[in-house]
Amino acid sequence: MAVLRAEGITKSFNGQKIIEQISLELKEGELVSLLGVSGGGKTTLFNVIAGLSLPDEGKVFLDDMDITGKPGQVSYMLQKDLLLPYRTIEDNVVLPLLIKGMKKKDARQKVSGYFGRFGLEGAQKQYPSQLSGGMKQRAALLRTYLFSRRVALLDEPFSALDMLTKSAVHDWYLQVMEQIHLSTLFVTHDIDEAILLSDRICLLTGKPGHITKEIRIEEPRPRKKDFSLSEQFLEYKRQILSHLEGR
Amino acid sequence: MTRKSPNITNKLWSCSALLGILLLWQAITGAGIVDAFLLPSPLQVGKAFFAEFPALMEHSAITLSEAFIGLGLGILLGFFMAVLMDRFDILYQAFYPLVILTQTVPAVAVAPLLVLWFGYEMTPKVILIVITTFFPITVGLLTGFKSADPDSVSLLRAMGAGQGQIFFYIKLPGAMNQFFSGLRISASYAVVGAVISEWLGGFGGLGVYMTRVKKAFSFDKMFAVIFLISFISLLLMNGVEILQRLCMPWNRESGNE
């Protein structure tokens, strides 16, 4: 059953259509990437799914419940970690629970078990400015996960990281996803990243943006490190590039 | 750690400059270039300060209590105005120009009016201090509230946060830096405001003391009380800095301002 479903989303700004008739579906534990050029309407779609803006047409469902235009159901994570500089990592991470009305003490207790799994052991009492970029993104991901344990929207979450850190975070993310059964909708303009992480890739092209192609990555999980160097990987990349350039 | 040594040398320079000026002053008055009765030497000022110490402390207590009450009320007023003007744009449009206008009216000009209306007791003094101190607080907080990162606000909204939660988790803590910059200015305004309003009438306080020694042409005592007032202002500003460091531990831990 689909955890998250978007049906026929159309959204325009100032009379100009940004995205048109976008439908997609996210199954339990699945990672679906939305790949397209910058400014192609990926973020617009995200804001609609997160409930921050109302679509002109279409609906969003979470577990068959209509959540169109209702914030507070699905959380997201951006390239900017958006950790509040004046709160410790622990207090940043519990923020979604506090917003839901949980007491600070209970919330802290509840999250205490997750720091190890997210590679943040010992960082609980530190402030964001004391952590590396990779650790900050992991903390932001933990915050996202604590908000909605089933679906995470990630908008180019790793694009500000340097290449080596990024690769380490990819490995780690695949592992952790496996353990916590998170379903992820992933926006990126990095083709390699999309192939490496996704079960399916939706290509968003044109103006207004449509989903014009869907590619299934058949490589089983857990994926090996050298998948990105294999012939199959290159074949997927060729396929995607030719589609994007063919437009 | 590396920041410590330039800090000490900085202080060394400013302290020696101050000492140099005092020495020059002492030399000029000691050599009789200026009449001692017009410009007392630093040593005479020091002597007057210690001779008058009990009286000065008594008057300081009065001035300080006025300053603290006024500053406290000023902070409260400044805070509420900032919160309301941030929350309701109409209030901002309507009252922000008026708030600026209150600052163009010189305190010295309003003080006599306040004395006529409210008498020689504490009330007119506290009112004057409130008028002078709320402004830096309001402007500081408003700037801070308005500079909240829109992406952070969106994220909290996506998590289902209401206006109040966004205020407490993002806007208020984010405005702390500007608030304390404002408070530092307000703290020094509070002392000056208290002294000015005491000049125009009252039964005690450093301003009253000042007018008394002025009438007696005791220049040495005049200088003693002037130095005391600036010392108190400095002390208050330092106090604000310490308070800021206690309230904003994240600045300290990360080592940047």
Side-chain angles (χ1 to χ4, degrees):
Chain A
M1 194 190 86
V3 182
L4 183 78
R5 206 167 75 236
E7 280 177 4
I9 306 285
T10 301
K11 175 83 187 166
S12 45
F13 276 113
N14 304 326
Q16 198 173 7
K17 273 188 187 164
I18 309 288
I19 47 175
E20 192 173 35
Q21 288 298 320
I22 302 245
S23 297
L24 52 81
E25 201 174 78
L26 191 60
K27 293 194 182 66
E28 179 110 42
E30 200 181 27
L31 194 153
V32 175
S33 284
L34 206 58
L35 188 67
V37 289
S38 304
K42 293 170 296 187
T43 307
T44 307
L45 179 63
F46 252 47
N47 284 339
V48 169
I49 294 176
L52 289 176
S53 61
L54 215 56
D56 305 338
E57 283 171 47
K59 283 199 180 315
V60 184
F61 296 94
L62 180 71
D63 292 326
D64 285 332
M65 182 176 68
D66 187 351
I67 58 161
T68 318
K70 281 187 204 147
Q73 304 295 328
V74 187
S75 182
Y76 63 87
M77 172 179 163
L78 304 180
Q79 178 185 334
K80 285 200 277 179
D81 56 69
L82 296 182
L83 295 170
L84 303 174
Y86 36 81
R87 294 176 86 89
T88 59
I89 293 303
E90 185 180 42
D91 286 348
N92 261 293
V93 161
V94 297
L95 203 56
L97 302 178
L98 298 184
I99 288 172
K100 283 180 180 168
M102 198 183 270
K103 288 214 178 70
K104 196 168 192 171
K105 210 174 145 195
D106 300 338
R108 279 185 174 169
Q109 179 136 37
K110 192 175 172 196
V111 304
S112 60
Y114 289 103
F115 288 101
R117 192 180 290 172
F118 277 74
L120 294 164
E121 198 65 71
Q124 290 99 313
K125 299 287 177 201
Q126 286 186 303
Y127 288 98
S129 56
Q130 296 170 292
L131 301 188
S132 67
M135 278 181 103
K136 279 193 261 195
Q137 286 308 85
R138 286 199 295 243
L141 190 72
L142 176 54
R143 180 185 57 192
T144 310
Y145 170 62
L146 287 169
F147 177 76
S148 49
R149 286 155 171 270
R150 316 215 29 222
V151 187
L153 307 179
L154 309 187
D155 189 351
E156 302 187 3
F158 309 130
S159 58
L161 301 177
D162 64 86
M163 220 178 68
L164 287 176
T165 312
K166 198 175 183 175
S167 155
V169 171
H170 284 159
D171 290 343
W172 168 82
Y173 186 73
L174 287 173
Q175 267 178 34
V176 119
M177 240 190 83
E178 211 72 21
Q179 289 172 18
I180 60 183
H181 306 291
L182 189 65
S183 317
T184 312
L185 184 60
F186 196 90
V187 160
T188 182
H189 55 233
D190 181 337
I191 297 174
D192 290 25
E193 184 172 73
I195 301 172
L196 193 64
L197 298 180
S198 312
D199 296 300
R200 283 185 289 134
I201 300 175
C202 296
L203 299 182
L204 187 70
T205 56
K207 263 187 201 280
H210 289 91
I211 292 179
T212 44
K213 195 174 173 66
E214 189 184 305
I215 293 167
R216 188 171 287 278
I217 309 291
E218 303 289 355
E219 181 75 8
R221 296 179 183 280
R223 286 176 188 158
K224 292 190 189 66
K225 253 185 144 63
D226 53 8
F227 171 53
S228 60
L229 301 172
S230 67
E231 195 53 46
Q232 276 161 296
F233 188 93
L234 283 178
E235 182 48 42
Y236 284 126
K237 195 167 176 177
R238 226 170 270 140
Q239 213 180 327
I240 292 169
L241 276 173
S242 73
H243 182 82
L244 289 178
E245 283 163 359
R247 283 257 142 193
Chain B
M1 283 298 120
T2 46
R3 281 165 35 131
K4 212 155 198 173
S5 47
N7 221 343
I8 287 173
T9 39
N10 278 347
K11 281 205 176 115
L12 203 71
W13 282 115
S14 61
C15 284
S16 20
L18 193 67
L19 201 69
I21 290 170
L22 284 176
L23 283 174
L24 189 70
W25 179 3
Q26 181 69 36
I28 290 171
T29 49
I33 298 171
V34 183
D35 270 338
F37 123 84
L38 281 177
L39 182 66
S41 73
L43 279 179
Q44 283 171 309
V45 173
K47 265 184 214 154
F49 179 80
F50 285 110
E52 289 288 297
F53 189 74
L56 281 172
M57 286 304 109
E58 212 172 289
H59 289 293
S60 298
I62 296 169
T63 303
L64 271 178
S65 54
E66 288 162 2
F68 275 121
I69 294 171
L71 183 60
L73 293 174
I75 292 171
L76 278 180
L77 178 70
F79 182 82
F80 280 113
M81 293 194 70
V83 170
L84 287 175
M85 284 200 273
D86 176 65
R87 184 73 181 76
F88 304 103
D89 201 48
I90 297 174
L91 291 182
Y92 178 78
Q93 307 279 355
F95 287 108
Y96 197 69
L98 280 179
V99 168
I100 303 236
L101 208 66
T102 62
Q103 297 311 299
T104 59
V105 180
V108 208
V110 193
L113 256 181
L114 292 173
V115 171
L116 289 177
W117 284 336
F118 300 103
Y120 292 104
E121 301 290 339
M122 211 178 219
T123 322
K125 295 162 181 100
V126 169
I127 291 173
L128 187 79
I129 296 168
V130 170
I131 293 173
T132 49
T133 56
F134 85 94
F135 181 73
I137 306 274
T138 303
V139 172
L141 278 174
L142 255 184
T143 319
F145 292 160
K146 297 226 180 268
S147 64
D149 176 22
D151 286 334
S152 295
V153 173
S154 292
L155 180 69
L156 254 72
R157 276 220 302 136
M159 289 177 178
Q163 288 286 351
Q165 284 172 321
I166 287 172
F167 180 78
F168 278 109
Y169 291 131
I170 294 187
K171 288 193 167 178
L172 188 60
M176 277 301 114
N177 247 329
Q178 281 98 329
F179 168 74
F180 278 107
S181 313
L183 185 59
R184 210 167 306 148
I185 298 169
S186 290
S188 63
Y189 279 9
V191 178
V192 174
V195 171
I196 288 177
S197 58
E198 285 163 358
W199 279 350
L200 297 159
F203 305 114
L206 291 172
V208 172
Y209 178 87
M210 251 177 141
T211 42
R212 259 183 226 160
V213 295
K214 190 190 90 185
K215 281 176 188 152
F217 293 102
S218 313
F219 283 82
D220 50 350
K221 289 175 192 163
M222 282 275 276
F223 273 102
V225 70
I226 289 170
F227 283 134
L228 180 61
I229 289 168
S230 43
F231 180 71
I232 288 173
S233 289
L234 271 179
L235 218 59
L236 282 183
M237 285 162 84
N238 262 333
V240 172
E241 219 151 290
I242 291 168
L243 197 67
Q244 177 171 19
R245 235 172 289 161
L246 287 177
C247 292
M248 304 173 67
W250 56 92
N251 274 353
R252 202 177 1 157
E253 307 264 341
S254 60
N256 53 32
E257 265 314 294

CSV table of all heavy atoms in Angstrom, one decimal, chain A residues 6-47:
chain,number,residue,atom,x,y,z
A,6,ALA,N,0.5,11.4,-4.2
A,6,ALA,CA,0.1,12.7,-4.7
A,6,ALA,C,-0.6,12.5,-6.0
A,6,ALA,O,-0.2,11.7,-6.9
A,6,ALA,CB,1.4,13.6,-5.0
A,7,GLU,N,-1.8,13.2,-6.2
A,7,GLU,CA,-2.6,12.9,-7.4
A,7,GLU,C,-2.9,14.2,-8.2
A,7,GLU,O,-3.5,15.1,-7.6
A,7,GLU,CB,-3.9,12.3,-7.0
A,7,GLU,CG,-3.8,10.8,-6.7
A,7,GLU,CD,-5.2,10.2,-6.2
A,7,GLU,OE1,-6.2,11.0,-6.2
A,7,GLU,OE2,-5.2,9.0,-5.9
A,8,GLY,N,-2.4,14.2,-9.4
A,8,GLY,CA,-2.7,15.3,-10.3
A,8,GLY,C,-2.4,16.7,-9.8
A,8,GLY,O,-3.2,17.6,-9.9
A,9,ILE,N,-1.2,16.9,-9.2
A,9,ILE,CA,-0.9,18.2,-8.6
A,9,ILE,C,-0.5,19.2,-9.7
A,9,ILE,O,0.4,19.0,-10.5
A,9,ILE,CB,0.3,18.1,-7.6
A,9,ILE,CG1,0.1,17.0,-6.6
A,9,ILE,CG2,0.6,19.5,-7.0
A,9,ILE,CD1,-0.9,17.4,-5.5
A,10,THR,N,-1.2,20.3,-9.7
A,10,THR,CA,-0.9,21.5,-10.5
A,10,THR,C,-0.8,22.7,-9.6
A,10,THR,O,-1.6,22.9,-8.7
A,10,THR,CB,-2.0,21.7,-11.6
A,10,THR,OG1,-2.2,20.5,-12.4
A,10,THR,CG2,-1.7,22.9,-12.5
A,11,LYS,N,0.3,23.5,-9.9
A,11,LYS,CA,0.5,24.7,-9.1
A,11,LYS,C,1.1,25.8,-9.9
A,11,LYS,O,2.0,25.5,-10.7
A,11,LYS,CB,1.4,24.3,-7.9
A,11,LYS,CG,1.8,25.5,-7.0
A,11,LYS,CD,0.8,25.8,-6.0
A,11,LYS,CE,1.1,27.0,-5.2
A,11,LYS,NZ,-0.1,27.5,-4.5
A,12,SER,N,0.5,26.9,-9.8
A,12,SER,CA,1.1,28.1,-10.5
A,12,SER,C,1.4,29.2,-9.6
A,12,SER,O,0.8,29.4,-8.5
A,12,SER,CB,0.2,28.5,-11.7
A,12,SER,OG,-1.1,28.6,-11.2
A,13,PHE,N,2.4,30.0,-10.0
A,13,PHE,CA,2.7,31.3,-9.3
A,13,PHE,C,2.5,32.4,-10.3
A,13,PHE,O,3.0,32.4,-11.4
A,13,PHE,CB,4.1,31.2,-8.8
A,13,PHE,CG,4.2,30.5,-7.5
A,13,PHE,CD1,4.9,29.3,-7.4
A,13,PHE,CD2,3.7,31.0,-6.3
A,13,PHE,CE1,5.0,28.7,-6.2
A,13,PHE,CE2,3.8,30.4,-5.1
A,13,PHE,CZ,4.4,29.2,-5.1
A,14,ASN,N,1.9,33.5,-9.9
A,14,ASN,CA,1.7,34.7,-10.7
A,14,ASN,C,1.1,34.3,-12.1
A,14,ASN,O,1.6,34.8,-13.1
A,14,ASN,CB,3.0,35.5,-10.8
A,14,ASN,CG,3.5,35.8,-9.5
A,14,ASN,OD1,2.8,36.1,-8.6
A,14,ASN,ND2,4.8,35.9,-9.4
A,15,GLY,N,0.2,33.4,-12.1
A,15,GLY,CA,-0.4,33.0,-13.4
A,15,GLY,C,0.4,32.1,-14.3
A,15,GLY,O,0.0,31.7,-15.3
A,16,GLN,N,1.6,31.8,-13.8
A,16,GLN,CA,2.4,30.9,-14.6
A,16,GLN,C,2.5,29.5,-14.0
A,16,GLN,O,2.8,29.4,-12.8
A,16,GLN,CB,3.8,31.4,-14.7
A,16,GLN,CG,4.6,30.8,-15.8
A,16,GLN,CD,5.9,31.5,-16.0
A,16,GLN,OE1,6.3,32.4,-15.3
A,16,GLN,NE2,6.6,31.1,-17.1
A,17,LYS,N,2.1,28.5,-14.7
A,17,LYS,CA,2.1,27.1,-14.2
A,17,LYS,C,3.6,26.6,-14.0
A,17,LYS,O,4.4,26.7,-14.9
A,17,LYS,CB,1.4,26.1,-15.2
A,17,LYS,CG,0.0,26.1,-15.0
A,17,LYS,CD,-0.7,25.0,-15.8
A,17,LYS,CE,-2.2,25.1,-15.7
A,17,LYS,NZ,-2.9,24.3,-16.8
A,18,ILE,N,3.8,26.2,-12.8
A,18,ILE,CA,5.2,25.7,-12.5
A,18,ILE,C,5.2,24.2,-12.6
A,18,ILE,O,6.1,23.6,-13.2
A,18,ILE,CB,5.6,26.0,-11.0
A,18,ILE,CG1,5.4,27.5,-10.7
A,18,ILE,CG2,7.0,25.6,-10.7
A,18,ILE,CD1,6.3,28.4,-11.4
A,19,ILE,N,4.2,23.5,-12.1
A,19,ILE,CA,4.1,22.0,-12.3
A,19,ILE,C,2.7,21.7,-12.7
A,19,ILE,O,1.7,22.4,-12.4
A,19,ILE,CB,4.5,21.3,-11.0
A,19,ILE,CG1,3.7,21.8,-9.8
A,19,ILE,CG2,5.9,21.2,-10.8
A,19,ILE,CD1,3.9,21.1,-8.5
A,20,GLU,N,2.6,20.6,-13.5
A,20,GLU,CA,1.2,20.3,-14.0
A,20,GLU,C,1.0,18.8,-13.9
A,20,GLU,O,1.8,18.0,-14.4
A,20,GLU,CB,1.2,20.8,-15.5
A,20,GLU,CG,-0.2,20.7,-16.1
A,20,GLU,CD,-0.3,21.4,-17.4
A,20,GLU,OE1,0.7,21.2,-18.2
A,20,GLU,OE2,-1.3,22.0,-17.8
A,21,GLN,N,-0.1,18.5,-13.3
A,21,GLN,CA,-0.6,17.1,-13.3
A,21,GLN,C,0.5,16.1,-12.9
A,21,GLN,O,0.8,15.1,-13.5
A,21,GLN,CB,-1.1,16.7,-14.7
A,21,GLN,CG,-2.4,17.3,-15.1
A,21,GLN,CD,-3.6,16.9,-14.1
A,21,GLN,OE1,-3.6,15.7,-13.7
A,21,GLN,NE2,-4.4,17.8,-13.8
A,22,ILE,N,1.0,16.4,-11.7
A,22,ILE,CA,2.1,15.5,-11.2
A,22,ILE,C,1.4,14.5,-10.3
A,22,ILE,O,0.7,14.8,-9.3
A,22,ILE,CB,3.1,16.3,-10.4
A,22,ILE,CG1,3.8,17.3,-11.3
A,22,ILE,CG2,4.1,15.3,-9.8
A,22,ILE,CD1,5.2,17.2,-11.6
A,23,SER,N,1.6,13.2,-10.6
A,23,SER,CA,1.1,12.1,-9.7
A,23,SER,C,2.3,11.2,-9.4
A,23,SER,O,3.1,10.9,-10.2
A,23,SER,CB,0.1,11.3,-10.4
A,23,SER,OG,-1.0,12.1,-10.7
A,24,LEU,N,2.4,10.9,-8.1
A,24,LEU,CA,3.4,9.9,-7.7
A,24,LEU,C,3.0,9.2,-6.4
A,24,LEU,O,2.1,9.7,-5.7
A,24,LEU,CB,4.8,10.5,-7.6
A,24,LEU,CG,5.1,11.8,-6.8
A,24,LEU,CD1,5.3,11.4,-5.4
A,24,LEU,CD2,6.4,12.4,-7.3
A,25,GLU,N,3.7,8.2,-6.2
A,25,GLU,CA,3.3,7.3,-5.1
A,25,GLU,C,4.6,6.7,-4.4
A,25,GLU,O,5.6,6.5,-5.1
A,25,GLU,CB,2.6,6.1,-5.8
A,25,GLU,CG,1.7,5.4,-4.9
A,25,GLU,CD,0.9,4.3,-5.7
A,25,GLU,OE1,1.5,3.3,-5.9
A,25,GLU,OE2,-0.2,4.5,-6.0
A,26,LEU,N,4.5,6.6,-3.1
A,26,LEU,CA,5.7,6.2,-2.4
A,26,LEU,C,5.2,5.0,-1.5
A,26,LEU,O,4.3,5.1,-0.7
A,26,LEU,CB,6.1,7.3,-1.5
A,26,LEU,CG,7.5,7.2,-0.8
A,26,LEU,CD1,8.6,7.1,-1.8
A,26,LEU,CD2,7.7,8.5,0.1
A,27,LYS,N,5.8,3.9,-1.8
A,27,LYS,CA,5.4,2.7,-1.0
A,27,LYS,C,6.3,2.6,0.3
A,27,LYS,O,7.3,3.2,0.4
A,27,LYS,CB,5.6,1.4,-1.8
A,27,LYS,CG,4.7,1.4,-3.0
A,27,LYS,CD,4.6,0.0,-3.6
A,27,LYS,CE,3.7,-0.1,-4.8
A,27,LYS,NZ,4.2,0.7,-6.0
A,28,GLU,N,5.8,1.7,1.2
A,28,GLU,CA,6.5,1.5,2.4
A,28,GLU,C,8.0,1.2,2.2
A,28,GLU,O,8.3,0.2,1.5
A,28,GLU,CB,5.8,0.4,3.2
A,28,GLU,CG,6.4,0.0,4.5
A,28,GLU,CD,5.5,0.4,5.6
A,28,GLU,OE1,4.3,0.2,5.5
A,28,GLU,OE2,6.0,1.0,6.6
A,29,GLY,N,8.9,1.9,2.9
A,29,GLY,CA,10.3,1.6,2.8
A,29,GLY,C,11.0,1.9,1.5
A,29,GLY,O,12.1,1.5,1.2
A,30,GLU,N,10.2,2.6,0.6
A,30,GLU,CA,10.8,2.8,-0.7
A,30,GLU,C,11.5,4.2,-0.8
A,30,GLU,O,11.1,5.1,0.0
A,30,GLU,CB,9.6,2.9,-1.7
A,30,GLU,CG,10.0,2.6,-3.1
A,30,GLU,CD,8.8,2.7,-4.1
A,30,GLU,OE1,7.8,3.4,-3.7
A,30,GLU,OE2,8.9,2.1,-5.1
A,31,LEU,N,12.5,4.3,-1.6
A,31,LEU,CA,13.1,5.6,-1.9
A,31,LEU,C,12.9,6.0,-3.3
A,31,LEU,O,13.4,5.4,-4.2
A,31,LEU,CB,14.6,5.6,-1.5
A,31,LEU,CG,15.3,6.9,-1.4
A,31,LEU,CD1,16.5,6.8,-0.4
A,31,LEU,CD2,15.7,7.5,-2.7
A,32,VAL,N,12.1,7.1,-3.5
A,32,VAL,CA,11.9,7.6,-4.8
A,32,VAL,C,12.5,8.9,-5.0
A,32,VAL,O,12.4,9.8,-4.2
A,32,VAL,CB,10.3,7.7,-5.1
A,32,VAL,CG1,10.1,8.3,-6.4
A,32,VAL,CG2,9.7,6.3,-5.0
A,33,SER,N,13.3,9.0,-6.1
A,33,SER,CA,13.9,10.3,-6.4
A,33,SER,C,13.2,11.1,-7.4
A,33,SER,O,12.6,10.5,-8.4
A,33,SER,CB,15.3,10.1,-6.9
A,33,SER,OG,16.2,9.7,-5.8
A,34,LEU,N,13.2,12.4,-7.2
A,34,LEU,CA,12.6,13.3,-8.2
A,34,LEU,C,13.8,14.0,-8.8
A,34,LEU,O,14.5,14.8,-8.1
A,34,LEU,CB,11.7,14.3,-7.5
A,34,LEU,CG,10.5,14.9,-8.2
A,34,LEU,CD1,9.6,13.9,-8.8
A,34,LEU,CD2,9.8,15.8,-7.3
A,35,LEU,N,14.1,13.8,-10.1
A,35,LEU,CA,15.3,14.3,-10.7
A,35,LEU,C,14.9,15.3,-11.7
A,35,LEU,O,14.1,15.0,-12.6
A,35,LEU,CB,16.1,13.1,-11.3
A,35,LEU,CG,17.5,13.4,-11.8
A,35,LEU,CD1,18.4,13.8,-10.7
A,35,LEU,CD2,18.1,12.2,-12.5
A,36,GLY,N,15.6,16.4,-11.7
A,36,GLY,CA,15.3,17.4,-12.7
A,36,GLY,C,16.2,18.6,-12.6
A,36,GLY,O,16.9,18.7,-11.6
A,37,VAL,N,16.2,19.5,-13.5
A,37,VAL,CA,17.1,20.7,-13.4
A,37,VAL,C,16.6,21.6,-12.3
A,37,VAL,O,15.4,21.6,-11.9
A,37,VAL,CB,17.1,21.5,-14.8
A,37,VAL,CG1,17.8,20.7,-15.8
A,37,VAL,CG2,15.7,21.8,-15.2
A,38,SER,N,17.5,22.5,-11.9
A,38,SER,CA,17.1,23.5,-10.8
A,38,SER,C,16.1,24.4,-11.4
A,38,SER,O,16.1,24.7,-12.6
A,38,SER,CB,18.3,24.3,-10.4
A,38,SER,OG,19.3,23.4,-10.0
A,39,GLY,N,15.1,24.8,-10.6
A,39,GLY,CA,14.1,25.7,-11.0
A,39,GLY,C,13.0,25.0,-11.8
A,39,GLY,O,12.2,25.6,-12.4
A,40,GLY,N,13.0,23.6,-11.8
A,40,GLY,CA,12.0,22.9,-12.5
A,40,GLY,C,10.8,22.6,-11.8
A,40,GLY,O,9.9,21.8,-12.2
A,41,GLY,N,10.6,23.1,-10.6
A,41,GLY,CA,9.4,23.0,-9.8
A,41,GLY,C,9.4,21.9,-8.8
A,41,GLY,O,8.4,21.5,-8.2
A,42,LYS,N,10.6,21.4,-8.5
A,42,LYS,CA,10.8,20.3,-7.5
A,42,LYS,C,10.4,20.8,-6.1
A,42,LYS,O,9.6,20.2,-5.3
A,42,LYS,CB,12.2,19.8,-7.4
A,42,LYS,CG,12.6,19.1,-8.7
A,42,LYS,CD,14.1,18.8,-8.6
A,42,LYS,CE,14.9,20.1,-8.7
A,42,LYS,NZ,16.3,19.9,-8.8
A,43,THR,N,10.9,22.0,-5.8
A,43,THR,CA,10.6,22.6,-4.5
A,43,THR,C,9.1,23.0,-4.3
A,43,THR,O,8.6,22.8,-3.2
A,43,THR,CB,11.5,23.8,-4.2
A,43,THR,OG1,12.9,23.3,-4.5
A,43,THR,CG2,11.4,24.3,-2.8
A,44,THR,N,8.6,23.4,-5.4
A,44,THR,CA,7.1,23.8,-5.4
A,44,THR,C,6.3,22.5,-5.0
A,44,THR,O,5.4,22.6,-4.2
A,44,THR,CB,6.7,24.3,-6.8
A,44,THR,OG1,7.5,25.3,-7.2
A,44,THR,CG2,5.3,24.7,-6.8
A,45,LEU,N,6.6,21.4,-5.7
A,45,LEU,CA,5.9,20.2,-5.4
A,45,LEU,C,6.1,19.8,-3.9
A,45,LEU,O,5.2,19.4,-3.2
A,45,LEU,CB,6.4,19.1,-6.3
A,45,LEU,CG,5.8,17.7,-6.1
A,45,LEU,CD1,4.3,17.7,-6.4
A,45,LEU,CD2,6.5,16.6,-6.9
A,46,PHE,N,7.3,20.0,-3.4
A,46,PHE,CA,7.6,19.6,-2.0
A,46,PHE,C,6.8,20.4,-1.1
A,46,PHE,O,6.2,19.9,-0.1
A,46,PHE,CB,9.1,19.9,-1.7
A,46,PHE,CG,9.9,18.6,-1.6
A,46,PHE,CD1,9.7,17.6,-2.5
A,46,PHE,CD2,10.7,18.5,-0.5
A,46,PHE,CE1,10.4,16.5,-2.4
A,46,PHE,CE2,11.4,17.3,-0.4
A,46,PHE,CZ,11.2,16.3,-1.3
A,47,ASN,N,6.7,21.7,-1.3
A,47,ASN,CA,5.9,22.6,-0.5
A,47,ASN,C,4.4,22.2,-0.4
A,47,ASN,O,3.8,22.3,0.6
A,47,ASN,CB,6.0,24.1,-0.9
A,47,ASN,CG,7.4,24.6,-0.4
A,47,ASN,OD1,8.0,24.1,0.5
A,47,ASN,ND2,7.8,25.7,-1.1
